Amino acid sequence: MITDKRNYVYWLKFRKDTGPLLRRFLIATSGLFFVAACLHLTPLFTKSGEIDFIFFVVDLGISILFIIEYLLKNKIPLVIRILTLITTAIFISVLSFLRSGLLGTGEISLAFIIISFFVFLPPIPSLLSALFISIVPAIFGICVYQSIIIFPDELGIRNQSPREWYFKSVSLIIFSILSGFLIQRLRAKLIKNIVYLKESRSKILKSKQYIDKLAFYDSLTQLPNRYLFEESINNRIFSGQKEAFVLLINIKGIKVINALHGISFGDQILTLIGSILKQYTSERPNTLVASLGGDEFILWIENSSRTRIEEAIVKFDLNNNQSLTPDRLGHRLQYRVSGIHFPSEADNLDEVIRKLSIAMNVAREKSMNHLVWFQPEMEKKIEREQRLKNQLEKAIEFNHFKIAYQEKVDISNQSVVGLEALARWTVPELGDISPDEFIPIITKSDLIVPFGKKIFEKVVSQIPSLRKNYGNEIKVSINISPIFFLFPNFTDYIITYLNQNSINPKNLIFEITEDIFIDEIETIQSIVSNLRSNGISVSLDDFGKGYSSLHYMQKIQFDELKIDKSFLDDIATSDRNFLLLESICHLADSLGLKTIAEGIEREEQIQSLKKTSCHIVQGYFYSKPKILFE
């Protein structure tokens, strides 16, 4: 039962897949039999012989049979089609028997109809129909035996023999079974191959769709990726779009979210942001959005202006979404946006993204949360930074830096009590480069540790000369970056190098800034304690400039406290600032710290400082940084 059902399903699939071919076969066969029928009418035109109307009707009937099958295929019930085929076959067979005793065309026509059953009908109905047609000669044999049918003498003695008709019936039955078996087996195999090919094609199409999805869409946000975004833009340009604005959106705080809630939660946030941007742009047919991967998205906006875009960015707030509320995330979700005009400022996507990234760097550096438009000056700055970076690598490798020293003066007796070592750098083709410019480049380029070592080693090499000029008790301050300070085995490296060069650690002061305390305070406490136990003093630089905390001063024992210039600019004219300075000095005194005032440039500042316990100053009023050697 299962096999029959499967065969029937195979036949349905075969009929569907080979339908167009079989329909063409029906037209061709009908045409051929029609031509054969017309040939029987040739005596009408040649005026010789007689017209064989019986064979004419037989061939014309077969032609009409196949043309009807072609026209009515799948439009009438299967049972009616089968009965029609059988009735027509019997009619043709009877005419053929009467005319020639199933000789010649009649016998071939009947065999052809039997094969047609197996080709055009389902397996079981085709077999039953073929067997039914095959029994027709046996019926004629009975009619001959009973003398109901008597053939003319010219048709031959064989047609008068019932055994001849029984033999033909058995032959047709065997022919029906064998041809049906062969056709069904061949058709089953063909159908299986067709099904296999279709399934393979379906799998290939699914694989292609999956590959296309990987190739053209971001797997996390399901937004178009850069490749599809560029293709879409090219299509827009090709269709006549002349200009547009392109925005780059960078999501702030994803790393913090990953750290607090896990990477999967961060991925959910990016997916939600992608959905919001997709919905936002789907309502605006002139806008395209894509993901550049990670926490960056890019938008293409047509038929707009800078003012309208700026207003839209101000109104666009991710925190309004219920899934991205600050209560759920633990803080507000912020984003930076950079923009550029296409094609006046960039005429291809690579150039667009490059310049958008430049503008985004400006937004990051200035902590801007609003839209930053690209400007040519930004590119010049990046080019200069890259040029300086290349020069810096060589300068660090070959130690091309010089050391300038600024004196620290005790205003009570005008004596020099210390020096601060400051790195100076000159590039032949660019001139003197300010530390405010090259130090950030060194930090961003991961060169701060080798740079710090070169400066430290150079200052150490000059300490003997400084002692000759300023006395054996002179203390030299060196600024140490947080990255270098927290470098593994920092203290061991410092002490070992001092011992190798026979330098007294008491001549050194390391100045560290408050931004170092964003790391483990216990680690800082251990390093400071280790340095001080080896005789090196530690100074807290730029006190008050950043995020001052008395907690740091309580936990860590410093030797000096350098008060930032911003506290000292108005101490002579502002009672409030003077009182604040005085309070800081009292605090330092209570903790046993020396206080040093930075950036002193005027006499009135000196007079105000004399009223406090801070008597050591550093600034242009007494001395500018000077290169003493080289």
Side-chain angles (χ1 to χ4, degrees):
M1 188 71 180
I2 296 175
T3 304
D4 294 340
K5 185 176 181 180
R6 186 183 298 115
N7 289 338
Y8 184 71
V9 172
Y10 281 165
W11 177 81
L12 290 176
K13 291 182 177 179
F14 176 82
R15 187 179 67 177
K16 180 180 179 181
D17 294 332
T18 60
L21 178 62
L22 294 178
R23 287 172 67 82
R24 288 192 289 270
F25 170 77
L26 288 172
I27 289 290
T29 305
S30 176
L32 289 174
F33 273 96
F34 181 77
V35 171
C38 293
L39 291 175
H40 291 294
L41 299 177
T42 53
L44 183 65
F45 303 102
T46 60
K47 306 298 182 179
S48 61
E50 296 180 355
I51 298 175
D52 195 335
F53 287 102
I54 292 180
F55 278 126
F56 170 75
V57 173
V58 169
D59 292 338
L60 185 61
I62 294 176
S63 176
I64 295 173
L65 173 68
F66 283 108
I67 197 66
I68 291 174
E69 174 68 14
Y70 171 81
L71 295 174
L72 300 180
K73 183 174 177 61
N74 299 328
K75 294 181 180 180
I76 58 176
L78 181 63
V79 175
I80 297 177
R81 290 173 59 204
I82 293 174
L83 292 176
T84 303
L85 287 171
I86 292 175
T87 303
T88 306
I90 292 174
F91 172 72
I92 293 172
S93 300
V94 169
L95 289 179
S96 179
F97 293 153
L98 293 177
R99 176 65 181 81
S100 62
L102 199 62
L103 295 175
T105 303
E107 192 171 6
I108 294 173
S109 300
L110 196 60
F112 187 82
I113 290 174
I114 290 173
I115 293 176
S116 300
F117 282 145
F118 291 107
V119 173
F120 295 106
L121 298 179
I124 300 301
S126 62
L127 180 61
L128 294 176
S129 301
L131 292 176
F132 185 79
I133 294 297
S134 301
I135 296 174
V136 172
I139 297 173
F140 269 81
I142 296 172
C143 293
V144 171
Y145 179 78
Q146 296 294 331
S147 299
I148 297 174
I149 297 176
I150 299 175
F151 289 94
D153 294 338
E154 63 267 16
L155 292 180
I157 299 174
R158 291 195 315 171
N159 288 334
Q160 308 293 349
S161 172
R163 287 179 297 179
E164 183 71 20
W165 292 105
Y166 299 151
F167 175 77
K168 290 182 178 182
S169 181
V170 172
S171 298
L172 286 175
I173 290 173
I174 294 173
F175 174 77
S176 299
I177 293 173
L178 289 177
S179 60
F181 176 78
L182 290 174
I183 291 174
Q184 295 297 341
R185 288 297 300 270
L186 290 173
R187 183 163 59 188
K189 287 184 175 295
L190 179 61
I191 291 171
K192 287 180 181 179
N193 289 333
I194 292 173
V195 172
Y196 175 76
L197 289 174
K198 291 190 71 174
E199 290 177 351
S200 299
R201 183 174 179 270
S202 177
K203 291 179 180 179
I204 291 172
L205 287 175
K206 288 181 179 179
S207 299
K208 184 177 182 300
Q209 290 172 355
Y210 179 71
I211 293 172
D212 288 345
K213 191 173 183 181
L214 292 178
F216 299 119
Y217 290 88
D218 178 65
S219 59
L220 183 62
T221 62
Q222 304 305 314
L223 289 173
N225 61 11
R226 175 174 173 172
Y227 182 85
L228 183 57
F229 182 74
E230 183 173 11
E231 187 174 296
S232 301
I233 289 176
N234 289 335
N235 291 335
R236 298 246 178 164
I237 296 172
F238 183 76
S239 63
Q241 181 62 36
K242 299 300 183 182
E243 63 175 353
F245 290 94
V246 188
L247 303 183
L248 180 65
I249 300 178
N250 175 257
I251 309 299
K252 294 174 61 178
I254 291 297
K255 292 183 179 179
V256 175
I257 291 174
N258 289 340
L260 293 176
H261 306 287
I263 295 177
S264 60
F265 186 78
D267 289 345
Q268 292 179 27
I269 298 301
L270 290 174
T271 303
L272 285 170
I273 293 172
S275 300
I276 293 170
L277 291 173
K278 190 173 183 179
Q279 180 181 0
Y280 183 82
T281 53
S282 64
E283 299 169 356
R284 296 162 176 81
N286 293 327
T287 304
L288 298 176
V289 65
S291 171
L292 294 183
D295 54 2
E296 287 191 333
F297 301 88
I298 189 168
L299 281 85
W300 168 276
I301 304 173
E302 301 170 0
N303 302 329
S304 189
S305 64
R306 292 189 181 227
T307 303
R308 288 170 58 188
I309 291 174
E310 290 170 357
E311 292 174 352
I313 292 298
V314 171
K315 294 177 182 178
F316 182 70
D317 188 1
L318 292 173
N319 298 278
N320 290 334
N321 187 280
Q322 294 180 354
S323 303
L324 304 176
T325 58
D327 292 339
R328 182 180 181 189
L329 300 182
H331 60 86
R332 287 185 61 80
L333 195 64
Q334 295 180 316
Y335 48 92
R336 306 178 184 93
V337 185
S338 59
I340 194 171
H341 181 261
F342 175 90
S344 63
E345 295 174 320
D347 58 1
N348 62 76
L349 188 60
D350 289 338
E351 192 71 4
V352 164
I353 294 177
R354 187 182 71 83
K355 292 184 176 180
L356 283 174
S357 299
I358 292 174
M360 184 61 71
N361 287 333
V362 174
R364 289 194 185 100
E365 290 175 0
K366 297 184 178 180
S367 300
M368 293 181 179
N369 294 320
H370 59 275
L371 174 60
V372 177
W373 293 104
F374 171 80
Q375 297 177 359
E377 293 75 15
M378 298 176 180
E379 187 172 17
K380 294 178 181 178
K381 181 182 178 183
I382 293 292
E383 291 174 353
R384 178 178 170 87
E385 285 185 1
Q386 185 60 43
R387 185 178 180 184
L388 291 178
K389 178 190 172 187
N390 296 334
Q391 296 280 356
L392 279 167
E393 292 176 353
K394 296 179 182 178
I396 292 172
E397 181 181 358
F398 298 105
N399 201 5
H400 288 166
F401 294 96
K402 297 180 180 180
I403 306 299
Y405 294 94
Q406 187 174 31
E407 298 174 349
K408 299 177 183 177
V409 179
D410 188 339
I411 58 176
S412 62
N413 55 22
Q414 304 300 311
S415 63
V416 176
V417 296
L419 300 167
E420 180 176 4
L422 302 168
R424 292 294 182 262
W425 183 41
T426 301
V427 178
E429 61 269 26
L430 298 176
D432 293 337
I433 309 298
S434 168
D436 292 337
E437 184 177 10
F438 71 76
I439 294 295
I441 298 175
I442 289 175
T443 304
K444 287 191 295 185
S445 305
D446 297 327
L447 299 171
I448 195 67
V449 172
F451 169 77
K453 287 184 176 181
K454 291 291 185 180
I455 297 301
F456 167 74
E457 291 169 2
K458 196 153 197 173
V459 171
V460 168
S461 68
Q462 294 177 357
I463 285 180
S465 299
L466 293 173
R467 292 178 65 184
K468 290 180 181 179
N469 293 344
Y470 292 93
N472 292 333
E473 302 301 321
I474 193 70
K475 287 184 174 291
V476 182
S477 299
I478 304 176
N479 287 284
I480 303 294
S481 74
I483 297 174
F484 186 28
F485 193 79
L486 294 171
F487 192 73
N489 302 318
F490 170 77
T491 306
D492 293 340
Y493 159 74
I494 295 297
I495 301 303
T496 300
Y497 193 83
L498 291 177
N499 290 335
Q500 289 174 350
N501 290 272
S502 302
I503 299 297
N504 188 347
K506 292 184 178 180
N507 288 120
L508 277 178
I509 301 176
F510 284 161
E511 296 185 0
I512 58 176
T513 52
E514 293 176 355
D515 54 358
I516 198 171
F517 297 107
I518 59 175
D519 292 279
E520 292 287 340
I521 192 170
E522 288 78 9
T523 303
I524 308 299
Q525 185 180 24
S526 174
I527 296 173
V528 171
S529 177
N530 199 355
L531 290 172
R532 295 183 74 248
S533 66
N534 282 279
I536 299 175
S537 300
V538 181
S539 173
L540 181 58
D541 194 13
D542 296 336
F543 180 80
K545 182 179 180 180
Y547 15 77
S548 303
S549 173
L550 297 178
H551 177 66
Y552 303 147
M553 299 174 65
Q554 178 187 7
K555 286 280 188 180
I556 301 174
Q557 180 61 52
F558 295 103
D559 296 284
E560 288 183 355
L561 185 67
K562 294 188 74 174
I563 304 173
D564 188 68
K565 182 179 183 296
S566 59
F567 277 93
L568 302 165
D569 285 340
D570 300 323
I571 57 173
T573 56
S574 172
D575 293 337
R576 183 182 181 87
N577 286 359
F578 178 79
L579 290 173
L580 182 58
L581 170 65
E582 198 172 35
S583 299
I584 293 173
C585 293
H586 286 313
L587 174 64
D589 291 342
S590 64
L591 294 174
L593 303 178
K594 293 180 181 179
T595 53
I596 299 176
E598 290 186 290
I600 302 302
E601 299 175 352
R602 301 185 304 276
E603 172 65 31
E604 56 267 27
Q605 290 176 302
I606 299 295
Q607 298 304 320
S608 296
L609 283 170
K610 288 182 178 180
K611 300 176 184 177
T612 69
S613 59
C614 177
H615 292 163
I616 300 177
V617 300
Q618 179 182 344
Y620 283 6
F621 183 78
Y622 281 103
S623 71
K624 295 182 179 181
K626 297 178 183 179
I627 298 174
L628 301 179
F629 312 103
E630 302 175 83

